[in-house]
Amino acid sequence: RSLKQTMSNSLFAEMCASTSSSSPLSLPSPSSTTTSSTTSREAQIEQEEGDIEWILGSLECSSHEFVNTELGRKRPISKVLYLTEVAVSPEARRCGAGTLLLQGVDKLAATRKIESIYLHVDVTNQAALDLYQKSGYQLLDRRPNAYNVDAYMYEEFTYKLNLHDGYIKGRCHYLMVKHYVKNPTWLDESESESSSSGFVWGEEEKLEEDYG
């Protein structure tokens, strides 16, 4: 499922003008060779005739990542989503666009009664990690030990998506989650056995109808 966030020129200029160097997104400062001053950006926007929409960025979320995973077998598929990608236009960075996109996901979760949204983030992408944590996402521990009984489930989920440590050009990823309810739904063994693919019977068709 894909979402796009747009805004008018005037609102975009207002956001840029009100955003200081200590942006709440903690994004890295653009180089002087690629970014002009806020004043010149506003002037450029004001020169445009009429009021057009800017695409600030886009994101995608889906549920098929949970198929044939232990995590997918233990969670009702209609209650979870996986955030596959968040992309912000270079011209819209440091203006809160990433936060707006994630707020759109929150609205989608409320509309669809989603309980949890999972995502992976590169361990070296501190700006994205800060953004997700400020938006309510928490790191999930994938290290197996006696006190972390869910470690295998999270590690297996990461492995199935080919995001395990070192698989993609030596990169490593954190698994994160945002719960929208205090007590998320977990299936017991008898319920999870009803679908070896991670889907509870009847819910896949319901998702197709809901999401079009």
Side-chain angles (χ1 to χ4, degrees):
R1 197 66 176 175
S2 178
L3 296 176
K4 289 186 178 180
Q5 185 69 47
T6 62
M7 64 169 55
S8 64
N9 285 343
S10 57
L11 180 56
F12 179 61
E14 181 181 345
M15 288 182 63
C16 291
S18 63
T19 303
S20 65
S21 59
S22 57
S23 170
L25 298 182
S26 301
L27 295 175
S29 300
S31 64
S32 57
T33 59
T34 58
T35 304
S36 59
S37 66
T38 299
T39 302
S40 61
R41 291 177 71 183
E42 290 182 77
Q44 181 181 0
I45 293 172
E46 290 174 356
Q47 289 176 0
E48 297 286 342
E49 294 183 1
D51 198 30
I52 63 174
E53 286 187 334
W54 289 67
I55 297 179
L56 301 183
S58 64
L59 59 82
E60 294 181 356
C61 49
S62 63
S63 57
H64 72 267
E65 287 81 5
F66 299 98
V67 176
N68 292 325
T69 68
E70 189 67 16
L71 180 58
R73 281 185 281 269
K74 291 188 176 182
R75 297 298 310 273
I77 197 64
S78 62
K79 300 298 183 183
V80 294
L81 282 176
Y82 181 77
L83 190 55
T84 60
E85 181 182 30
V86 177
V88 176
S89 170
E91 295 182 353
R93 291 172 185 170
R94 301 175 62 83
C95 293
T99 299
L100 284 175
L101 286 168
L102 293 178
Q103 288 174 353
V105 175
D106 293 341
K107 293 179 180 179
L108 175 64
T111 301
R112 301 297 182 183
K113 294 182 172 56
I114 298 297
E115 295 182 350
S116 308
I117 293 182
Y118 296 84
L119 62 85
H120 282 92
V121 59
D122 192 307
V123 298
T124 64
N125 193 343
Q126 190 61 46
L129 182 59
D130 290 342
L131 170 62
Y132 293 137
Q133 288 181 320
K134 289 177 181 179
S135 298
Y137 289 83
Q138 301 175 340
L139 290 170
L140 292 173
D141 192 354
R142 296 190 284 119
R143 297 171 297 176
N145 57 65
Y147 302 99
N148 187 9
V149 296
D150 294 325
Y152 167 77
M153 177 178 62
Y154 297 140
E155 182 66 14
E156 185 245 16
F157 181 65
T158 299
Y159 186 88
K160 287 290 184 69
L161 298 183
N162 293 325
L163 294 174
H164 48 290
D165 294 353
Y167 183 80
I168 303 178
K169 298 181 180 181
R171 295 164 60 186
C172 302
H173 296 81
Y174 292 128
L175 176 61
M176 307 185 75
V177 66
K178 181 174 183 177
H179 295 302
Y180 292 89
V181 295
K182 185 176 181 180
N183 297 306
T185 304
W186 291 86
L187 304 177
D188 58 30
E189 291 185 6
S190 61
E191 292 174 309
S192 61
E193 287 176 356
S194 66
S195 175
S196 59
S197 67
F199 284 98
V200 175
W201 298 118
E203 291 191 339
E204 183 175 6
E205 291 78 6
K206 182 177 183 301
L207 278 178
E208 292 179 353
E209 179 180 347
D210 289 343
Y211 288 93

